[in-house]
Amino acid sequence: MTYIVNLNALAGGLFIIAAFGILATRQIRACLKLFILQSLLLAASALLLGLSPFSIHLMAVAAINLVTKVFFLPWLLRRLLNEEVYTRREISQAITIPSALLIALVLTIGAYFFSLSWVETASAASAIRINVPIGLAGLLIGALTLTTRREAVSQLLGLLAMENGAFFAGIAIAQGLPLIAELALAFDVLVLIFVAGVLTRAVHERTGSTAVGRLSSLREEPHE
Amino acid sequence: MVKHILFNILQVLVVMGFSPLAVGVLNCLKEIVQSKRGPSIFQPYRDLRKLFAKDEVVAEESSWIFRVTPYIVFVAPIFVALLIPVLTSYPLFWAFMGDMVGAGFVLALGGFFAALAAVDTANPYGSMGASRTRMVGFLAEPVFLIVFFSVSFVADSTIPYIVQQKWVTPMANFFEPSHILLLVAFIMLILAEKGRIPVDNPSGHFELAMIEESKDLEYSGRGAALMKWGGWMKFFVLMIVFSNVLLTPWGLASTMDWGAILLAILLVMIKILFFILFLVLVESSLAKLRLFRISEFMSAAFVIAVISMLTSVFS
Amino acid sequence: MILLTVIAFPLIAAALAQLYPRSRLGADATCIAALITLAITMRAAAEVIAAPTHVLVAIPYWVAMDGLSALMIVLVAFIYVTAAFFSVGYMDFRQNGGSRRYYVNFNLFVFSMLMVPLMQEPNIVWIAVELTTLFSVLLVGFKNTHEALEAAWKYIVLTLMGASIALLGFFLLFWAAGQAGIEHYTWSGLVAVAPRMSPVLLKAAFVFILVGFGAKVGLVPLHTWLPDAHSQAPSPVCALLSGVETTVILYAILRLLPVLNAVPSIQADTWLLTFGLISVGTAAFLLLRITDYKRMFAYSTIEHMGIILTAAGMGGASAHSAAMLQIVGHAVTKSFSFLAAGAVLLLIGNRNIASVRALVRQAPLAGAALLLAGLAIAGAPPFPLFLSEFLILKAGLQNGDYLVVGLLTIFIAIAFFAIMNHVSRMALGAGEPASRDAGQRGALPFSCKITLIVAAVPILVLGVYIPDGLAALAALAAKSLGGG
């Protein structure tokens, strides 16, 4: 069944490209599409890993991910937020995109380096060797996206990309997770989106823009 | 032995002969996608014939560089065509003259002279375009190098024939993350080197916005024909490297008989056609990047190339 | 079964608040549910102390309670009571609109906090921790002002970032446990297979969980959301957030401690000591420059979380039981502090330290409460925090960690000085009492006054006398840290 391993590797490679893409894209709509692609790849990887040895848990993970992140999440975000939010783009950023990409590169190297010591304890099951470093790298790149973005939706997508990364590593190493954990996780993601969406709408209504990165009035300087 | 030399020459003839056709198909398809009729796919041949018949007008202030450049630009891809696997999967007579790094240098030589010639004529648009071309070029150089390094790291060689046999032919290696990432990086590189959207608009007439096209601005007659043809051949050569070495190394002749060679020619045409289709799709759906965003594009390509090397080192 | 009833009542109150927003049913149901929950948790704690194995099991391998969990839920229930009663008088829903929003989230928040100690499977614990964040975000942003929304956004983003990091840590933990051949994936199961687990994986899992959950606890460097969130939220919510929520997350981190101690090569103690001391130090220095009294109490939370972590890192039964006392003391004191701060805010109208002077003259009860809160949280005798900090320092000296003890003493002293400086000027200082802004209430509502008095009782008592039940519970809790 080596084609499963190969296809899984393909999914992994595209997963990390999607993670870089979320970091490097300016337009929010494009970020959202890349995130959907990333979630799709996560579901695909879960599906592949669940084929042999056959594991209903992983299939369920794939299905849950597909339903929540690929279908439900964009719909929910659209319901909660004004359409205009999606036409925004990041105009100015704390770090320029090439610098952010280079930092992400360093983070990926770090991810591979750290996970080297973890996966050598594993048997030569290649799925673990691919999924764990890429998952960790996805986590770190998501964190970088989160910190360098100013728009609310981009920060939210960075957060979700971090979870995608953690899951990508998790489906390879934590395969016996009980089903209830998966369902609860899916529910949790939905609640997260809902809450964050409500909050974003409130910020938008209150301040007229969703550039939450510019909110910096809570400081230590004395108020008048 | 004789057959080796013959096949090598045949290889070059294929490149020379079919590159205008490839560009013609590309232009026609682009127009068809936009619901227009498009020029005939043989139009580039007619352009070449027309240009060869015309007189050449050369600026007075230009130097020998301007006169020599068309020949260099024309010969460079031919030279590279000798080195890469176009029709056969086994190395041919002149194949050991240089490896991929050498081929890269030769192509860069052509580009270098073209840029110099553009400055040579004191046409302001020429020098502007030349400086922009160099900017894209120097951003693309690290990507080239990293691509070559990762390829040679995995295959233990930089000779394209060996790379193709060792690395890509086994199906197992095809889906590895390093391979996929390398493909993506190389596609971005081709888009940058050949001045395709999103880096540059090849069909634009507006000199202020030209990057690659400005190199051909001052030429006329035979010089223009050679520059154009050389550019098309460079494009064809890059596509062949991509298809035959990295993406789909199958279908190349592994024996010495003519039937296999002719079949190989046909298959190469088909592969190039698929690549052109993909390119048309990319070009029709993206918009041209603003000039300083090109550095973001190229840094993305660089990062992808380095990740590809990483994943092959660590697995 | 009793454990399931513990978490049932907040849910019922939330449901009632959701269904009947118009009447005062939400507020009343919350208060009643709080009282019932406190009674049930105290009963459950008594059962744990009395049971031979000191473990109560409701659903085997899923929902169970031991000494440490019992301590946590008793604390949560107690703060639930005080915060619920304080909310009744404090929250003015005419301006904000949405008593339903408040009470539903309030009860669900308490429900999730009660769930964390009771769940035995680590992944479910992670889910419960996420739920605490999600239910409290809307509470933090309740006031709907510019700053409140900023605080809420920072809160959700930083905390969930930490949660994702911790998720990877939990996956690694699961992997390591699976490799070691664990039978049932619970906290106690982990302790059983700990010696067989791969040290590399365990260390990686621990670091990820420490950093990830540390963001929620307020450990430096991911603490930046804490002063904002804990100052912008309505005061009863702050009492819950600072008093127990950070502690409950710290509980989740501390659950790993016996697992890590079984593998000595990991040096878990060093990590805990480092993070703890850095947090205490940062908080202490930042307290010097503070200008907002709610933020002052928030930084004090960071300081105390650091102290607890340091005490846990010191190792040894005496340090661990001192850490437990610190947890108890901090919970009651910090919640009281925020309730007092809320009272001051009601009277004065803004959060500046500089605008509050001679509060004791202006409003005796609020001023006295603020003074008491400041003294108690800074660690002055005869209050419980002084006792626990003293015990921690003593345990450290006994262990021989002189550097740690020295640093800790310096930081605690700096924080003490800073807090006392601000609080004494606010409560007793010379100068005219600040005129209150128009629209602020002139006097505290009755429920707030009663709650302040009731909540002050533990602070006054625990410093000198610890009831047997509480002492036994604390001892049990310390034992489950694997002290030794």
Side-chain angles (χ1 to χ4, degrees):
Chain A
M1 289 283 183
T2 55
Y3 73 87
I4 289 184
V5 174
N6 293 332
L7 284 177
N8 187 41
L10 176 64
L14 293 176
F15 185 88
I16 200 144
I17 291 184
F20 275 100
I22 295 180
L23 180 63
T25 335
R26 284 179 188 271
Q27 290 172 308
I28 293 186
R29 204 172 268 154
C31 276
L32 188 60
K33 286 188 192 156
L34 280 168
F35 170 74
I36 294 177
L37 175 68
Q38 200 187 38
S39 312
L40 205 62
L41 290 165
L42 176 64
S45 177
L47 187 73
L48 287 169
L49 289 179
L51 277 180
S52 86
F54 187 75
S55 155
I56 189 73
H57 294 142
L58 285 177
M59 296 294 188
V61 169
I64 291 174
N65 257 302
L66 202 62
V67 169
T68 56
K69 288 185 186 162
V70 174
F71 293 123
F72 202 61
L73 186 149
W75 177 82
L76 195 60
L77 275 180
R78 248 167 238 282
R79 276 277 312 263
L80 287 173
L81 296 176
N82 205 349
E83 188 62 37
E84 188 247 343
V85 171
Y86 289 102
T87 59
R88 303 201 182 203
R89 45 174 74 201
E90 302 271 343
I91 305 299
S92 62
Q93 303 189 311
I95 330 179
T96 59
I97 284 188
S99 320
L101 281 174
L102 287 174
I103 296 179
L105 182 63
V106 171
L107 286 176
T108 313
I109 294 178
Y112 265 92
F113 187 65
F114 280 122
S115 44
L116 204 59
S117 52
W118 305 341
V119 299
E120 65 190 8
T121 63
S123 55
S126 326
I128 296 185
R129 280 178 182 268
I130 289 179
N131 275 34
V132 171
I134 290 183
L136 180 58
L139 183 80
L140 294 175
I141 296 176
L144 183 65
T145 313
L146 188 56
T147 48
T148 58
R149 290 302 180 119
R150 295 239 171 103
E151 281 283 331
V153 182
S154 314
Q155 285 187 352
L156 190 59
L157 287 175
L159 193 61
L160 292 169
M162 280 180 80
E163 284 208 28
N164 269 0
F167 263 104
F168 200 77
I171 54 178
I173 59 183
Q175 288 171 333
L177 268 182
L179 201 57
I180 194 165
E182 312 299 348
L183 284 170
L185 273 160
F187 170 70
D188 162 68
V189 169
L190 288 177
V191 176
L192 160 67
I193 304 304
F194 181 73
V195 168
V198 167
L199 202 54
T200 308
R201 184 165 61 182
V203 170
H204 192 198
E205 284 169 14
R206 193 73 202 167
T207 63
S209 88
T210 52
V212 288
R214 296 190 202 279
L215 296 177
S216 55
S217 54
L218 292 175
R219 287 279 163 83
E220 297 307 334
E221 288 90 38
H223 301 279
E224 59 283 338
Chain B
M1 174 66 123
V2 174
K3 266 198 171 174
H4 269 215
I5 300 181
L6 270 180
F7 288 160
N8 227 345
I9 297 181
L10 182 61
Q11 208 169 287
V12 173
L13 288 176
V14 161
V15 170
M16 273 176 66
F18 284 111
S19 48
L21 182 62
V23 174
V25 169
L26 176 63
N27 289 336
C28 179
L29 277 178
K30 261 175 65 172
E31 303 281 322
I32 289 182
V33 161
Q34 296 173 22
S35 306
K36 304 184 220 172
R37 254 185 55 185
S40 149
I41 58 176
F42 298 108
Q43 187 57 33
Y45 293 107
R46 298 192 192 120
D47 285 341
L48 282 180
R49 195 175 62 194
K50 170 187 79 174
L51 283 172
F52 270 119
K54 283 193 170 183
D55 281 339
E56 224 178 317
V57 175
V58 167
E60 269 190 39
E61 297 84 11
S62 60
S63 65
W64 60 272
I65 294 184
F66 188 80
R67 285 167 246 284
V68 160
T69 298
Y71 300 100
I72 297 183
V73 169
F74 184 72
V75 166
I78 292 181
F79 190 78
V80 174
L82 288 173
L83 306 174
I84 57 174
V86 180
L87 297 177
T88 57
S89 61
Y90 48 88
L92 290 175
F93 186 71
W94 281 292
F96 290 101
M97 274 200 300
D99 57 355
M100 294 206 298
V101 182
F105 273 133
V106 169
L107 284 180
L109 186 73
F112 172 67
F113 268 96
L116 276 185
V119 183
D120 198 20
T121 61
N123 180 359
Y125 293 126
S127 41
M128 201 165 67
S131 72
R132 286 194 191 139
T133 313
R134 281 301 97 206
M135 179 185 95
V136 174
F138 94 77
L139 288 172
E141 280 315 305
V143 187
F144 255 127
L145 287 176
I146 300 286
V147 164
F148 288 150
F149 286 159
S150 21
V151 163
S152 61
F153 181 81
V154 177
D156 283 334
S157 158
T158 50
I159 299 195
Y161 290 95
I162 302 183
V163 167
Q164 167 208 33
Q165 277 166 4
K166 265 206 186 171
W167 193 30
V168 196
T169 317
M171 260 310 273
N173 290 336
F174 190 82
F175 288 113
E176 291 218 341
S178 54
H179 187 238
I180 305 292
L181 291 169
L182 201 67
L183 289 180
V184 173
F186 204 78
I187 289 182
M188 290 170 92
L189 203 56
I190 293 184
L191 290 178
E193 274 296 306
K194 270 322 296 170
R196 296 267 132 202
I197 290 181
V199 174
D200 179 22
N201 188 359
S203 51
H205 311 290
F206 188 39
E207 292 94 345
L208 266 180
M210 279 187 184
I211 300 183
E212 285 283 326
E213 297 300 306
S214 59
K215 292 191 294 197
D216 301 341
L217 270 183
E218 282 293 305
Y219 286 99
S220 51
R222 189 173 52 196
L226 287 176
M227 288 288 283
K228 276 198 187 333
W229 204 355
W232 297 337
M233 282 202 289
K234 179 176 171 186
F235 184 45
F236 197 77
V237 158
L238 282 174
M239 280 199 289
I240 289 209
V241 168
F242 182 73
S243 309
N244 278 354
V245 176
L246 291 179
L247 183 65
T248 49
W250 314 290
L252 295 178
S254 47
T255 60
M256 297 250 285
D257 55 272
W258 286 96
I261 295 289
L262 289 175
L263 185 65
I265 296 181
L266 189 62
L267 286 173
V268 163
M269 290 300 117
I270 294 181
K271 289 182 209 171
I272 298 288
L273 181 65
F274 274 115
F275 189 83
I276 288 178
L277 280 173
F278 171 73
L279 208 57
V280 166
L281 212 65
V282 165
E283 291 219 339
S284 310
S285 47
L286 295 179
K288 190 172 100 116
L289 286 174
R290 287 163 49 188
L291 188 66
F292 292 112
R293 300 280 165 92
I294 295 180
S295 62
E296 291 173 14
F297 183 75
M298 293 316 296
S299 57
F302 175 74
V303 158
I304 290 180
V306 175
I307 303 283
S308 128
M309 188 163 77
L310 253 194
T311 48
S312 61
V313 164
F314 275 111
S315 68
Chain C
M1 269 345 269
I2 193 173
L3 297 179
L4 296 176
T5 53
V6 164
I7 55 179
F9 281 96
L11 277 179
I12 297 177
L16 285 175
Q18 172 75 16
L19 293 171
Y20 299 102
R22 297 271 173 219
S23 65
R24 287 186 58 95
L25 191 56
D28 297 337
T30 309
C31 294
I32 297 178
L35 285 171
I36 299 181
T37 313
L38 182 62
I40 299 180
T41 51
M42 290 176 107
R43 170 85 192 282
E47 278 186 28
V48 164
I49 298 177
T53 56
H54 300 296
V55 172
L56 276 185
V57 176
I59 306 175
Y61 311 118
W62 285 98
V63 179
M65 183 171 80
D66 68 347
L68 187 57
S69 311
L71 187 64
M72 290 295 147
I73 60 174
V74 168
L75 287 175
V76 172
F78 181 71
I79 313 297
Y80 186 23
V81 169
T82 51
F85 277 95
F86 197 80
S87 307
V88 170
Y90 180 82
M91 297 298 300
D92 178 13
F93 291 116
R94 285 164 306 166
Q95 288 176 341
N96 287 321
S99 89
R100 167 161 68 166
R101 250 194 323 145
Y102 181 80
Y103 279 112
V104 169
N105 280 319
F106 192 86
N107 286 306
L108 285 176
F109 181 39
V110 173
F111 160 72
S112 59
M113 277 199 291
L114 285 171
M115 252 182 68
V116 172
L118 291 178
M119 294 294 147
Q120 287 300 310
E121 153 128 17
N123 290 313
I124 309 284
V125 169
W126 183 87
I127 294 175
V129 168
E130 280 255 311
L131 285 179
T132 64
T133 303
L134 295 174
F135 290 138
S136 49
V137 166
L138 292 176
L139 285 173
V140 169
F142 190 74
K143 278 193 278 202
N144 225 10
T145 62
H146 194 121
E147 289 101 4
L149 291 174
E150 174 191 343
W153 184 263
K154 268 197 202 169
Y155 176 43
I156 196 173
V157 154
L158 278 174
T159 320
L160 292 179
M161 179 161 111
S164 307
I165 298 178
L167 181 64
L168 186 61
F170 275 109
F171 281 141
L172 288 172
L173 193 65
F174 188 84
W175 189 23
Q179 279 184 341
I182 195 172
E183 293 164 13
H184 293 106
Y185 187 54
T186 62
W187 292 122
S188 38
L190 276 175
V191 175
V193 302
R196 293 202 297 264
M197 284 208 260
S198 141
V200 168
L201 281 180
L202 193 53
K203 179 171 188 176
F206 167 62
V207 171
F208 273 104
I209 295 178
L210 181 63
V211 171
F213 276 167
K216 267 206 81 117
V217 171
L219 300 178
V220 177
L222 287 171
H223 70 288
T224 46
W225 60 273
L226 204 146
D228 302 336
H230 286 209
S231 60
Q232 292 297 321
S235 295
V237 175
C238 288
L240 274 177
L241 280 176
S242 261
V244 276
E245 195 218 10
T246 47
T247 316
V248 161
I249 314 298
L250 193 58
Y251 150 87
I253 299 179
L254 290 178
R255 273 289 184 194
L256 278 181
L257 206 52
V259 181
L260 296 166
N261 284 334
V263 187
S265 64
I266 295 185
Q267 308 263 332
D269 294 345
T270 322
W271 284 93
L272 289 175
L273 284 174
T274 318
F275 267 98
L277 282 175
I278 293 179
S279 304
V280 181
T282 316
F285 281 107
L286 283 172
L287 273 172
L288 291 171
R289 289 200 50 209
I290 209 82
T291 56
D292 171 336
Y293 51 83
K294 277 179 90 169
R295 283 173 83 90
M296 174 178 82
F297 286 127
Y299 276 113
S300 159
T301 304
I302 301 180
E303 178 209 348
H304 283 284
M305 288 297 125
I307 295 178
I308 298 175
L309 206 63
T310 312
M314 275 188 203
S318 46
H320 285 167
S321 47
M324 291 301 124
L325 280 177
Q326 177 89 1
I327 287 180
V328 172
H330 177 251
V332 294
T333 315
K334 186 48 64 63
S335 53
F336 177 75
S337 314
F338 271 106
L339 295 182
V344 175
L345 187 59
L346 258 188
L347 295 174
I348 302 298
N350 64 37
R351 294 193 307 277
N352 273 339
I353 292 182
S355 61
V356 180
R357 288 279 175 270
L359 192 58
V360 180
R361 264 189 280 150
Q362 179 184 3
L365 185 60
L370 188 63
L371 192 57
L372 176 63
L375 278 172
I377 202 70
F383 298 117
L385 281 177
F386 170 75
L387 186 62
S388 50
E389 282 168 9
F390 180 73
L391 285 174
I392 291 175
L393 293 174
K394 190 170 108 173
L397 282 176
Q398 276 174 346
N399 275 359
D401 296 323
Y402 296 118
L403 177 64
V404 171
V405 169
L407 282 174
L408 205 54
T409 320
I410 296 176
F411 293 147
I412 294 180
I414 295 178
F416 181 87
F417 166 71
I419 297 180
M420 283 321 300
N421 192 16
H422 294 306
V423 168
S424 60
R425 264 194 286 152
M426 276 204 287
L428 302 171
E432 282 305 308
S435 59
R436 55 183 165 86
D437 301 343
Q440 297 300 319
R441 288 178 256 180
L444 284 178
F446 179 68
S447 66
C448 296
K449 286 189 190 167
I450 289 286
T451 317
L452 277 177
I453 295 177
V454 168
V457 167
I459 303 180
L460 297 168
V461 167
L462 286 178
V464 286
Y465 164 69
I466 302 180
D468 291 333
L470 192 56
L473 201 56
L476 272 181
K479 226 172 9 148
S480 31
L481 280 190

